[in-house]
Amino acid sequence: HRGYEVRTEGDAFFVVFGNIIDAFNWCFESQLQLLAAEWPENLLTYPAAKAEPPYWAGVRVRMGVHLGRAQCRKNPIHLRMEYFGPVVNEADRIADSGHGGQVICTKAVVDELEKAQREGKIESSLLKTDWLGKYPYQGVKELMDIYQIIHPRLEGRGVVEPGRFPELRIDWTLPNAKDATHYPRKLQQEKKS
């Protein structure tokens, strides 16, 4: 899908693409291949990898997509391109806030997808977008609109119920967290006391 693997950190991959369509093709092909893979039977006994056809089987990978122009340079030692800067930091935090099997993205990404649909570059029936809310992220001054993107073959995938994942994994102690769409009620009550 014309992606470029920049680096890995632990079990995470940082991959860049020239356009949003390639990024989502990679995300969903990866999710579908993980679902179709033949996993060892003993792995499938773990709750987080349990086979639950037709939406779950094996390792569950969270993915986050963000759009922007990163700073880049060629590393003088290994001669590979390195990407860095605010856009990269935001993408990392967004990806980290999702759950295994979930693909989330920012409003800039959704706007670009809608533009591609209007221009006939992708079929509108191929992806469904669900607005999850406005969320705070470390190092980002404004709350970010976060969406879940759903492939038709994975539409019933969820944890809480079909098509629904738990609340994003957010640091609710950030200064602008109280203005988020889903600021936890428990924390609201604690702040009032």
Side-chain angles (χ1 to χ4, degrees), residues 27-28 30-32 34-35 48 55-64 95 98-104 148-151 154-159 163-166:
C27 285
F28 289 116
S30 298
Q31 291 287 350
L32 293 168
L34 287 165
L35 180 62
Y55 303 114
W56 297 109
V59 176
R60 299 176 183 189
V61 176
R62 63 180 178 254
M63 297 180 176
H99 297 276
Q102 186 177 36
V103 179
I104 61 175
Q148 177 174 291
I149 306 292
I150 304 163
H151 187 281
L154 301 172
E155 197 164 356
R157 180 180 266 191
V159 175
R164 191 165 154 239
F165 286 84

Side-chain angles (χ1 to χ4, degrees), residues 6-179:
V6 177
R7 67 177 179 266
T8 59
E9 292 178 13
D11 63 353
F13 286 82
F14 173 36
V15 184
V16 297
F17 296 88
N19 63 68
I20 292 299
I21 297 168
D22 287 345
F24 277 103
N25 284 338
W26 181 82
C27 285
F28 289 116
E29 185 174 317
S30 298
Q31 291 287 350
L32 293 168
Q33 285 181 359
L34 287 165
L35 180 62
E38 291 192 28
W39 298 100
E41 283 299 318
N42 59 347
L43 174 76
L44 299 176
T45 63
Y46 291 98
K50 184 178 173 187
E52 298 176 45
Y55 303 114
W56 297 109
V59 176
R60 299 176 183 189
V61 176
R62 63 180 178 254
M63 297 180 176
V65 181
H66 188 34
L67 177 67
R69 188 165 297 281
Q71 299 169 36
C72 60
R73 68 172 172 252
K74 188 180 276 190
N75 182 298
I77 296 168
H78 54 64
L79 303 178
R80 291 181 50 84
M81 291 302 292
E82 293 180 331
Y83 292 79
F84 55 95
V87 168
V88 172
N89 296 337
E90 291 167 5
D92 179 53
R93 287 179 174 89
I94 291 160
D96 193 45
S97 68
H99 297 276
Q102 186 177 36
V103 179
I104 61 175
C105 67
T106 57
K107 181 166 182 5
V109 172
V110 170
D111 291 346
E112 194 68 19
L113 283 173
E114 289 173 350
K115 179 182 170 193
Q117 288 174 339
R118 285 191 304 274
E119 294 172 353
K121 294 179 181 174
I122 57 173
E123 203 177 307
S124 60
S125 64
L126 290 182
L127 299 175
K128 177 183 170 193
T129 60
D130 283 339
W131 181 69
L132 299 178
K134 289 182 173 291
Y135 290 93
Y137 288 96
Q138 180 72 41
V140 182
K141 289 182 182 179
E142 301 294 322
L143 296 174
M144 298 186 82
D145 284 289
I146 302 297
Y147 293 76
Q148 177 174 291
I149 306 292
I150 304 163
H151 187 281
R153 287 185 44 204
L154 301 172
E155 197 164 356
R157 180 180 266 191
V159 175
V160 176
E161 60 188 38
R164 191 165 154 239
F165 286 84
E167 187 62 46
L168 294 180
R169 299 161 357 115
I170 297 294
D171 178 357
W172 294 112
T173 65
L174 294 171
N176 59 349
K178 65 183 180 342
D179 299 323

